[in-house]
Amino acid sequence: MKHRSTREVVEDLRRGQRLIEVTDEVDPHLEIAEIQRRVYANGGPGLLFSNVRGCRFPMASNLFASLEQARYLFRDTLESVRRLIEIKLDPSALPKHPVRYAGVPLTAMTMLPRRVRRGPVMANACPLSDLPQLKCWPDDGGAFVTLPQVLSADPLAPDNLMRVNLGMYRVQLSGNQYDPQSQVGLHYQIHRGIGVHHRAAMDRGEELRVAITAGGSPAMSLAAVMPLPEGLTELTFAGALAGRRTRMIRGDHAPVYADADFAIVGRIDPTATMPEGPFGDHLGYYSLEHPFPFMRVEKVWHRDDAVWPFTVVGRPPQEDTTFGQLIHELTDPIIPSVIPGVKAVHAVDASGVHPLLLAIGSERYMPTLDAAEPQELLTQANAILGNGQLSLAKYLWITDDPENKLKIHDVERFIRHILERVDWRRDLHFHTRTTIDTLDYSGTGLNQGSKVVIAARGSACRELPHEVPTDLSLPHGFENARVVMPGVLAIGAPKYSADAGAHEANELASALSAQQAAKSFPLITICDDADFASTNANNWLWLTFTRSNPATDICGVDEFVLDKHWGCRGPLLIDARVKPHHAPPLIEDRETLAKVDARAARGGPLAAYL
């Protein structure tokens, strides 16, 4: 099914018995988001809300309810895109397997975007304030577009569709100081393509033309978040995945996706900002209010029978988890061609994606040396941390796998594999005073923090313990040691304070120095709630890697500095307590929880997922 609109997506899911239509009234203020979160968490289908309070447009969510449902939406094109990627990786495969790749030329023909003068999205005009006012979390700064397709024209080549940037950047529709009829906020983070266009416009003293669209083919939403190899643009990828050329309306504005359900068209003064946020984000915390660019809105269009698509972000897993799964499925084969020697890279969803990367590399250059310590792995780690959005990682765990036994997506097993081999005296490599994700508040400022590479290889050098030592002795204030997984211990600690925080972590390290049983655990997380951290691996992954900045929050038992290299002879300690500068975690509104509980009690097809 080659969808042109969100209505076609919804009807396709309905025919496939993958949709629930909610006909009684729902509130876009918190309630609709709580319903979406619960339905996704419980494996529910797509949702169509046809009676939204105060809004004349129906709203649809959970369109990417699962990886299986995402494959269903792209069932007519996914295999052809895979084969196109295979040919890009190895052009010689085409003459060798002509039958398998017979459809590739047809797929390639769909990739070139096409200029048009008009499109369905221009059928109707409306005020900006008529758009759905979706608020997902209690302390959000206003209503947001959560599945936007933000298109910007390159100021250096404004008529070249192959240089249009498509990204999914946060769009605030109301709140703060915005005029609800003429201004929207745009929040784009470091290392995003629109920033290049912004800089070019600033250098030329020009306004930046921008169009924000929503809906149309789901291929556009996936293309907006897809990390693509060089030479493949978002619009060309969207055409291949949609199964038809992407039609773009040109005029005295940025290129507008012709088949979208909605379009907000305007311009950005690249020198002006306004407060944007807060907003509950995919790390599981609020990204706070900061000055960001804003658009002066010139036109708002929508197609006939338009449906507003939305999602809800928060602590993983959420619907954007499915985006990540599909992205991994499509891009995993590309990794070795993009970063030589690297076999696989996995951004760990449970940790908020960017904080933790796992990688499998290779040691190829010195096969005659029987060296157990990483060599080429360090070169590959630097290549990973210098590659696009992968550069936002704070923690990179990398190993080789000469026998091809490791599974990169089995996170627990991967971590155990490294912990069995790591030597903290040599295998830690810090990058200090560098950039991290804009949404990550564990660092030293906006976009500022540190990184660490943990590179280990060779044979196992230890057996990982499974039980808390019976003779474990902890300093005053530390308590409730719990095993998270083999080799990983979580220990409850006093509430962090700026004056005592680092001293307390070092005090624990000193206390453990003489305890051989405790030192058999290679990794210890210091946290506020060890019971929470040890309940499951996802809890530990989330709090450990979202609440720590490597350069300031890592210490170790019997630590030392040699030739400016930091290491430790005993366990590594990560202080993952909540710090005063951290953003607040996302907590649901109690009244909204009760409202959705009551909806569940009334029964009906939706109740099973609430």
Side-chain angles (χ1 to χ4, degrees), residues 176-375:
N176 295 352
Q177 301 170 18
Y178 303 120
D179 178 349
Q181 298 299 338
S182 65
Q183 294 173 330
V184 299
L186 273 172
H187 178 295
Y188 36 91
Q189 301 141 41
I190 193 168
H191 292 300
R192 297 310 197 265
I194 193 173
V196 177
H197 289 177
H198 187 124
R199 167 56 64 183
M202 186 182 292
D203 291 345
R204 293 167 64 89
E206 298 175 354
E207 293 183 313
L208 179 63
R209 299 178 179 183
V210 174
I212 302 162
T213 59
S217 169
M220 283 290 282
S221 294
L222 188 65
V225 297
M226 191 81 175
L228 295 170
E230 189 173 344
L232 188 61
T233 70
E234 294 90 4
L235 292 185
T236 56
F237 176 80
L241 192 58
R244 54 167 58 92
R245 295 174 68 181
T246 305
R247 302 192 303 161
M248 303 299 296
I249 302 168
R250 293 311 313 267
D252 185 26
H253 50 70
V256 175
Y257 173 39
D259 291 309
D261 284 66
F262 298 86
I264 308 169
V265 183
R267 299 170 190 253
I268 292 173
D269 177 349
T271 64
T273 61
M274 289 178 67
E276 187 272 352
F279 179 74
D281 226 310
H282 68 266
L283 290 179
Y285 307 89
Y286 286 100
S287 54
L288 303 180
E289 183 181 296
H290 295 285
F292 274 95
F294 65 95
M295 176 203 281
R296 289 195 300 275
V297 177
E298 298 168 345
K299 304 177 181 72
V300 180
W301 294 322
H302 67 88
R303 67 187 299 155
D304 292 332
D305 208 16
V307 177
W308 182 266
F310 75 94
T311 190
V312 178
V313 292
R315 181 192 161 186
Q318 303 285 346
E319 189 181 2
D320 53 0
T321 297
T322 301
F323 277 78
Q325 291 170 335
L326 191 57
I327 287 169
H328 271 299
E329 190 171 279
L330 289 172
T331 60
D332 282 357
I334 301 174
I335 290 295
S337 69
V338 176
I339 311 176
V342 175
K343 299 177 182 178
V345 176
H346 176 45
V348 179
D349 182 69
S351 71
V353 182
H354 291 312
L356 175 62
L357 281 184
L358 310 181
I360 299 174
S362 53
E363 296 280 359
R364 307 166 300 172
Y365 289 164
M366 300 295 289
T368 60
L369 292 182
D370 187 23
E373 64 186 85
Q375 298 177 91

Side-chain angles (χ1 to χ4, degrees), residues 16 45 82 147 160 186 227 265 274 285 385 399 410 517 531 546 554-555 594:
R82 287 197 185 99
L147 277 179
N160 188 344
L186 273 172
V265 183
M274 289 178 67
Y285 307 89
L385 292 179
T399 187
D410 186 347
D531 286 331
T546 64
I554 284 179
C555 65

Side-chain angles (χ1 to χ4, degrees), residues 15 53 122 155 182 205 215 224 283 356 408 412 421 481 601:
R15 286 190 297 271
R53 180 178 300 169
M122 297 176 68
S182 65
L283 290 179
L356 175 62
I408 192 81
E412 289 188 60
R421 291 159 175 78

